[in-house]
Amino acid sequence: MRRELEMQEMDWTALANPSEEMQRSWLLQSTTLTMKTYVQKKKTYIWTLAFIGVLVVIAFTMMTIRALTHLDHYQQQPPETYSIALHTGLKFFNSQRSGRLPEENNVTWRGDSCIQDGKYPGSSYPHLSGGYYDGGNAIKSNFKMSFAMTMLSWSVIEYHSKYQQLGELIHVEGIIKWGTDYFLNTFDSSADTIHDMVFQVGHEGTERYCWIRPEDIDYQRHADICFSECPDLAAEMAAALASASIVFSKNVVYSQKLIHGARILYKYAESSMNTDTSSSWDELLWGGVWLYYATGDVSFLDRVTTLALADPSGVFSRDSGVFSWNTKLAGAQLLLTRLRLFLSPGYPSEEVLRKFYNQIGNVMCSYLPSFNKFNRTKGGLIQLNHGDPQPLQYAANAAFLAALYSDYLDASDTPGWSCGPNFYLTYVLRDFSRSQIDYILGKNPQNMSYVVGFGERYPKRVHHRGASIPKNRKESCKGGWKWRESSKENPNVIEGAMVAGPDGHDGFHDVRTNSNYTEPTLTGNAGLIAALVALSGQKDNLDKNGIFSAIPPLFPVAPPPPAPWTP
């Protein structure tokens, strides 16, 4: 301040004018200084660019090292491991067949069983021989069987060439057809409208009490019929028939028969649906998506869009990301995401497709260890059923979704997906998928394969009536209890059966009497097979376009013009 005041008080007019020579020196000095400053700034700019370049190279190198470290962190199984496990796992379905068995069934301890199902006085459905038993007893549940067949069909549609290369295409198609042939006999599949359908054959109490081989069942087995109270079952079975119609698309007559059945089942589901759609909402989505893919009928996509916009708030919040025979939302989300990634139908479906695209991304985020939505055992098994028994089927289904989504992203030239501010590459999904399947196949604290017949150590006391009683040993209902209670190994090896699995602490008890550990299920094995085929062989074997064969070329409708501007 003082200096400024001094300068203000100075009389500048009293100073002598500079000479002409001095003024020239000032001009020369200014030019010299300007050139020096320019050169100095240029050097600084070049060094700054070089420094930034070095930082970019270092950052890229660190990212590459981090990526490679992550890739090496999870030690992958040899590629043939999943193929061998798939061959084994498919044998389980042969062991679960009901009715008159085909010659190629190849399970020596199984024979014809329950061929009189439906044949009793007053029966509306006398031809119920066939189909599959759910698990260790002799119940045939259309709901669970439908989900299992849909999962197998989905895996064939996506990985047709893999099944062919593995020599299992004819086998798996035969497994699916055994189920769909049975479904067509559980409702009036030749009609245009139905009013009832078979829900289940075999009563829970009786089938749990009678521990005998299915071949020796001589008691009358009634069918449970539902009338207007089962839209979820009808939509689920519609999904099974619609997806199978794509598998058998070259057999035009049979494929159209399946489509007709799927249409009338879905119609029945819609007419049976009451104002509270929460119990069947996900099945209606699931069935509607499959019917759209099977028929190309855009009205099914419109129905799915309407259903999606009417999402029952909070109904699936706890189970978001859980895909099972009882919860189909994640499967429907992934199927709709497939449509958006490969066909991009645009308006008016884009809003819903973008919604499901974002939701399935969140589902995949929830599977990662860095997110805390689902707990994991110390051995690494994800607890999608929140610590309840029989966790393996849920983990297998999630492994399938993750591997399939990874293949969708790769096939659409999408390098990965975002979880909040973080971006993950597709290999992260396959690492998760492998980690769960490898756990099932023996990479767990028990060092035990939970698939019977695979690996050196697996369960020997499977909770299964047919496997636990010697062939040709006929017992009464109560007389068979001694085989159920026995601590000896099963006399028959039920190859390919994935048992229920360990508890929430990686503990497992190989005891026949505890189904929470040792009972296999049709639905569980279907998810396992789907995941195994997704992980086997080369990952670029996805059939990108087969599922769209019935969909006509899409010409998106232009969105409506904006409302006129008013001042």
Side-chain angles (χ1 to χ4, degrees), residues 27 43 123 175 180 257 260 279 342 353 374 383 393 400 428 453:
L27 290 173
K43 289 181 178 179
S123 173
I175 291 171
T180 52
K257 188 176 184 179
H260 176 74
S279 63
F342 296 124
L353 297 183
F374 299 109
Q383 298 287 284
Q393 59 179 304
F400 171 62
V428 176

Side-chain angles (χ1 to χ4, degrees), residues 417-428:
W417 87 111
S418 297
C419 297
N422 301 315
F423 187 82
Y424 292 91
L425 299 180
T426 56
Y427 71 78
V428 176

Side-chain angles (χ1 to χ4, degrees), residues 369-412:
S370 53
F371 291 78
N372 297 319
K373 179 169 182 179
F374 299 109
N375 294 328
R376 276 172 167 75
T377 66
K378 289 183 179 180
L381 180 67
I382 192 169
Q383 298 287 284
L384 290 160
N385 60 337
H386 308 286
D388 290 340
Q390 306 180 7
L392 295 187
Q393 59 179 304
Y394 301 93
N397 290 340
F400 171 62
L401 293 188
L404 183 58
Y405 186 52
S406 171
D407 285 344
Y408 285 174
L409 294 178
D410 287 339
S412 61

Side-chain angles (χ1 to χ4, degrees), residues 26-154:
W26 288 351
L27 290 173
L28 290 172
Q29 186 181 29
S30 174
T31 303
T32 304
L33 288 172
T34 302
M35 288 296 295
K36 287 181 179 179
T37 303
Y38 170 74
V39 171
Q40 186 176 11
K41 286 183 176 180
K42 185 175 180 181
K43 289 181 178 179
T44 303
Y45 177 70
I46 293 172
W47 278 105
T48 302
L49 284 179
F51 181 70
I52 292 173
V54 170
L55 287 178
V56 169
V57 171
I58 292 173
F60 179 77
T61 303
M62 291 179 66
M63 289 174 64
T64 303
I65 292 172
R66 183 180 179 185
L68 290 173
T69 301
H70 185 90
L71 278 170
D72 293 338
H73 181 264
Y74 185 79
Q75 295 182 357
Q76 301 178 14
Q77 297 270 23
E80 64 272 12
T81 299
Y82 305 117
S83 301
I84 296 170
L86 184 141
H87 291 305
T88 305
L90 282 172
K91 295 177 183 178
F92 172 72
F93 295 92
N94 296 34
S95 299
Q96 295 302 103
R97 277 179 168 152
S98 178
R100 294 194 184 277
L101 301 184
E103 292 182 2
E104 67 274 10
N105 201 57
N106 295 329
V107 180
T108 58
W109 50 272
R110 282 300 323 277
D112 298 344
S113 64
C114 298
I115 58 177
Q116 297 299 316
D117 279 356
K119 297 184 186 299
Y120 54 87
S123 173
S124 303
Y125 297 95
H127 305 293
L128 297 180
S129 174
Y132 292 95
Y133 302 122
D134 292 349
N137 52 46
I139 292 175
K140 296 192 294 192
S141 166
N142 281 15
F143 196 73
K144 295 179 181 179
M145 199 188 309
S146 294
F147 178 74
M149 296 303 105
T150 307
M151 286 292 286
L152 291 178
S153 291
W154 192 3

Side-chain angles (χ1 to χ4, degrees), residues 476-493:
S476 64
C477 282
K478 194 172 181 179
W481 290 7
K482 62 177 175 289
W483 299 104
R484 184 184 64 190
E485 307 295 328
S486 171
S487 61
K488 294 181 180 180
E489 296 179 2
N490 285 355
N492 305 311
V493 179

Side-chain angles (χ1 to χ4, degrees), residues 164-179:
Q164 206 161 29
Q165 291 167 10
L166 293 169
E168 290 286 5
L169 182 60
I170 294 175
H171 185 191
V172 72
E173 287 180 346
I175 291 171
I176 295 167
K177 192 173 184 298
W178 190 266

Side-chain angles (χ1 to χ4, degrees), residues 9 68 110 114 135 207 340 365 397 415 429 489 508 534 554 561:
E9 293 173 356
L68 290 173
R110 282 300 323 277
C114 298
E207 300 303 334
R340 185 175 190 261
C365 297
N397 290 340
L429 291 169
E489 296 179 2
F508 181 78
L554 297 176

